[in-house]
Amino acid sequence: AQSVTQLGSHVSVSEGALVLLRCNYSSSVPPYLFWYVQYPNQGLQLLLKYTSAATLVKGINGFEAEFKKSETSFHLTKPSAHMSDAAEYFCAVSDPNTGNQFYFGTGTSLTVIP
Amino acid sequence: ETGVTQTPRHLVMGMTNKKSLKCEQHLGHNAMYWYKQSAKKPLELMFVYSLEERVENNSVPSRFSPECPNSSHLFLHLHTLQPEDSALYLCASSHLTGQGDTQYFGPGTRLTVL
């Protein structure tokens, strides 16, 4: 079975600083990878996804993520944090061998300090 | 209405009550999902429907009963729940259950079982 590990359940950055949220996955085959964001009292919104095309994926709101097969990682970055980026971020993997079942990490709560 | 909607947004029920959660998607998708989101735990996939047929049931207790009358609507019928069932219940939909199909989430129903 797939698993997703998000290192750091809480991350704090200053406004304007680099955002780095870590995600590692376990998979015996190349997976599909996703980052979602959840704002308070809302559902999950897709930020970006990797589906075996370019390894550097650009998403909404200035976020991007790089797929590194050798490190089994899919870390999320943003060059300059904005106050509106404060939210919960979830990494997910879809295993090609199990249809479209998603496996989610436990989430990382991002705080942006003014 | 656009996207995925869920009603009610909040629900408080006793352990002997019977209630239903409703999900509706306006995206023309053919697959729908129920997830349970508890604090500090990964999202748990409960049920998957594809073309109105249940294709996944991840060992969910029988006090949760899904219903998918058509490709746009999904229900979760609840009865004799336990306090540990209190959580955010998220509905999602995707084009199909194919590899890497993005899942789009509703805002969730916050359920409290007394």
Side-chain angles (χ1 to χ4, degrees), chain A residues 18-110:
Chain A
L18 172 71
V19 176
L20 171 60
L21 304 182
R22 299 178 187 275
C23 174
N24 289 87
Y25 65 92
S26 67
S27 174
S28 59
V29 297
Y32 298 98
L33 295 156
F34 302 78
W35 274 101
Y36 283 86
V37 60
Q38 185 178 31
Y39 298 101
N41 300 315
Q42 294 187 29
L44 277 66
Q45 178 184 0
L46 180 70
L47 275 177
L48 49 82
K49 75 175 188 179
Y50 167 77
T51 55
S52 74
T55 56
L56 183 62
V57 182
K58 294 187 182 299
I60 62 171
N61 301 339
F63 284 94
E64 61 183 36
E66 186 173 8
F67 171 68
K68 292 187 176 180
K69 183 178 178 181
S70 61
E71 298 177 9
T72 60
S73 69
F74 191 57
H75 301 331
L76 181 71
T77 61
K78 182 174 180 177
S80 176
H82 191 274
M83 295 299 294
S84 60
D85 295 327
E88 190 88 14
Y89 291 81
F90 294 91
C91 181
V93 59
S94 170
D95 184 344
N97 292 327
T98 59
N100 205 29
Q101 179 159 345
F102 277 31
Y103 299 85
F104 284 86
T106 51
T108 297
S109 177
L110 176 66

Side-chain angles (χ1 to χ4, degrees), chain A residues 8-20:
Chain A
S9 58
H10 297 276
V11 171
S12 294
V13 299
S14 298
E15 190 175 17
L18 172 71
V19 176
L20 171 60

Side-chain angles (χ1 to χ4, degrees), chain B residues 37-48:
Chain B
Q37 185 179 25
S38 304
K40 307 304 180 186
K41 294 175 66 176
L43 271 72
E44 300 172 49
L45 179 65
M46 300 175 72
F47 301 103
V48 181

